[in-house]
Amino acid sequence: MVTQEESNNKIEIILDPVIIDDIDLSFKDAMGILLKVKSPFYVKKATIDLTNYEIHVHISYDKVTTFTSPCCQEENCKIHNKAPRIWRALDLLEYKTILHLDQPNIKCPNCGKKAAYLVDWARPQCGLTIKFEQRAIANCKTMTFVDAAFCLGETDKRLASTVYKAVQKARLTLNWKDIKAIGIDETSRAKGHNYISVFVDLYSRNVLFIADGKDASVFDQFCEELKRNHGNPSKIIYLAMDMSVAFISGAETFLPNADIIFDKFHVIKLMNEAIDKIRRQESLENPILRGTRYIWLHNPENLNKKQREQLIHLSKRNLKTGRAYRYKLELQKIYAEADNYQEAEFGFNKLISWGTRSRLEPLENFAKTLKAHLDGILNHFDNFITSGVIEGLNSKIQEIKRRARGFPNTDNFKNMIYLHLGGLKIPKLYKTGEPYDF
């Protein structure tokens, strides 16, 4: 039998005892078990607001209860005063569940300090329970802040704050003492010239650090973060990146022991840009080259039958673009067949000589670039480290941005990157044992 006491659209449910595992429980006792309320606290009353679809759980404690001081762990401290607090808990049967407590403030007789007693279901000064925060973090891993907030009935700013605190807490446990190979790449944060620089561990494939901008100072910021996480800049021996002048300057200044590696992805990209410039210039005089851009940029094995036939036909003509394309094939041959530094050095010196004498300005400029950065290009053949990991993560970062349709500030963007790609140890929902205090 169920009876109700109505007051201002709120109904206090008084149920006949419910059988749970052969134990007779009232509704408030059942709420105490579901919420895992522990001594010295207990559920005093539970009400349901049918208008707003809310469950209000009122928690209390005995007046004679003494507490342990949160300051110096002194036991048997008396209550100095009380402050009403509320917490948002996980919904129960689609009803928004809110916890109420006159939180005791303790005055420690030992040190004289006053502080609020720390409840075990929520972090200090947080209006969400730990389990609610864990659910919010789990949702944010699979959806945007706005979508997660809609599902949980909270504001996106509140969830962003929860993710920020969880990420920062998890990052305090990082240990980078064994990191020796990193990569760096810049990516856009928003439209215009808004960039962030992303540092990645090439072995674990985790995002280590994100800095604002793409100048040499980002290396200084990374080294400071590296030291805070027990790392040593002098132990970084491999650094994969593009040929940015600012990055080279920063690496030489702050990571002097690192071998700079310009991997083939960036070299081939520059080669393709040179071919396309030659094709565009030549197509003004020779219309046969119009609409053939992708034939020259792709490898022969990646072309369809029609494109391969067109490539064979164009190769029989004495085209400047065809000469540049053969140059590109020789470059790719070096990357495919060179087994060590010496073999690669011999091949690249031939290419530099060929390009310098080609009488094609874009190809001459590319050969000068090869010569200026030859040491970094050849370092790839000592260890065959590439920045392919960085390029893959960069695509995921852009997917995070695209899915959220942009972020209102850089911090939210960074935190979502760390949450998805940082390899952080953030506990899963309903982890057994003590609650995770993030």
Side-chain angles (χ1 to χ4, degrees), residues 73-90:
Q73 303 305 310
E74 179 73 18
E75 297 182 352
N76 300 321
C77 297
K78 294 183 178 180
I79 299 173
H80 176 69
N81 56 23
K82 303 176 184 179
R85 289 289 309 278
I86 61 172
W87 293 270
R88 172 75 189 278
L90 288 173

Side-chain angles (χ1 to χ4, degrees), residues 169-436:
K169 180 73 175 181
R171 284 180 60 78
L172 292 176
T173 66
L174 296 175
N175 190 333
W176 293 349
K177 66 178 182 178
D178 296 326
I179 290 179
K180 63 179 183 179
I182 65 171
I184 178 175
D185 196 13
E186 78 275 1
T187 188
S188 62
R189 181 189 72 82
K191 289 183 178 179
H193 299 284
N194 295 309
Y195 290 93
I196 56 175
S197 295
V198 182
F199 290 83
V200 177
D201 182 357
L202 295 178
Y203 291 151
S204 70
R205 304 190 173 197
N206 292 327
V207 172
L208 298 174
F209 180 68
I210 306 169
D212 293 324
K214 56 174 184 175
D215 55 11
S217 66
V218 300
F219 283 88
D220 186 20
Q221 299 175 48
F222 170 72
C223 288
E224 291 299 319
E225 185 74 7
L226 185 66
K227 294 172 184 176
R228 279 194 290 269
N229 290 288
H230 317 292
N232 188 345
S234 63
K235 290 184 178 181
I236 303 295
I237 58 177
Y238 301 125
L239 172 59
M241 63 182 191
D242 59 25
M243 297 178 186
S244 163
V245 175
F247 280 179
I248 294 173
S249 174
E252 292 175 345
T253 303
F254 297 103
L255 299 173
N257 295 337
D259 289 336
I260 296 176
I261 300 170
F262 305 124
D263 72 292
K264 66 177 182 180
F265 296 102
H266 293 108
V267 177
I268 297 296
K269 179 182 177 183
L270 292 175
M271 181 69 249
N272 283 333
E273 291 173 356
I275 290 179
D276 202 40
K277 286 181 181 179
I278 294 171
R279 183 198 62 82
R280 287 202 303 268
Q281 292 171 3
E282 192 175 13
S283 65
L284 297 177
E285 303 173 357
N286 196 339
I288 196 173
L289 288 172
R290 293 175 184 172
T292 64
R293 181 186 181 208
Y294 292 100
I295 291 178
W296 306 109
L297 298 184
H298 286 73
N299 296 329
E301 61 271 16
N302 295 329
L303 301 177
N304 58 39
K305 183 178 179 181
K306 182 179 179 180
Q307 290 172 329
R308 283 196 296 268
E309 291 175 352
Q310 192 176 11
L311 177 61
I312 293 172
H313 174 69
L314 293 173
S315 298
K316 294 177 181 179
R317 295 173 174 267
N318 187 23
L319 298 172
K320 296 176 183 179
T321 307
R323 288 160 55 196
Y325 183 73
R326 288 190 290 275
Y327 188 93
K328 171 188 172 181
L329 294 180
E330 285 299 316
L331 174 63
Q332 292 178 320
K333 185 177 179 181
I334 295 174
Y335 277 110
E337 297 181 359
D339 293 326
N340 53 56
Y341 187 102
Q342 289 74 23
E343 291 182 13
E345 184 178 24
F346 178 77
F348 273 102
N349 283 331
K350 286 180 63 178
L351 275 183
I352 292 171
S353 177
W354 180 4
T356 305
R357 295 180 287 104
S358 66
R359 291 181 294 178
L360 298 173
E361 185 179 355
L363 207 55
E364 290 174 356
N365 292 336
F366 176 73
K368 291 178 182 178
T369 301
L370 289 182
K371 187 175 181 180
H373 300 88
L374 187 58
D375 287 341
I377 293 171
L378 294 177
N379 282 337
H380 164 76
F381 296 91
D382 266 343
N383 43 63
F384 293 95
I385 286 177
T386 74
S387 61
V389 172
I390 313 172
E391 299 300 329
L393 290 177
N394 206 343
S395 298
K396 294 180 180 179
I397 289 171
Q398 290 304 312
E399 173 62 20
I400 292 172
K401 184 182 75 173
R402 184 199 63 77
R403 190 172 62 188
R405 295 180 177 86
F407 288 86
N409 58 66
T410 307
D411 287 338
N412 285 356
F413 189 27
K414 290 180 181 179
N415 289 327
M416 286 298 277
I417 295 172
Y418 286 135
L419 182 66
H420 285 81
L421 307 174
L424 302 179
K425 296 180 180 179
I426 298 178
K428 296 180 179 179
L429 187 65
Y430 302 127
K431 180 182 177 181
T432 57
E434 292 300 318
Y436 182 65

Side-chain angles (χ1 to χ4, degrees), residues 5-12 47-52 54 56 58 100:
E5 295 181 4
E6 299 188 15
S7 175
N8 298 327
N9 286 327
K10 289 189 177 181
I11 303 177
E12 182 174 355
T47 61
I48 298 179
D49 185 343
L50 296 178
T51 302
N52 297 314
E54 294 177 348
H56 293 264
H58 298 264
H100 298 257

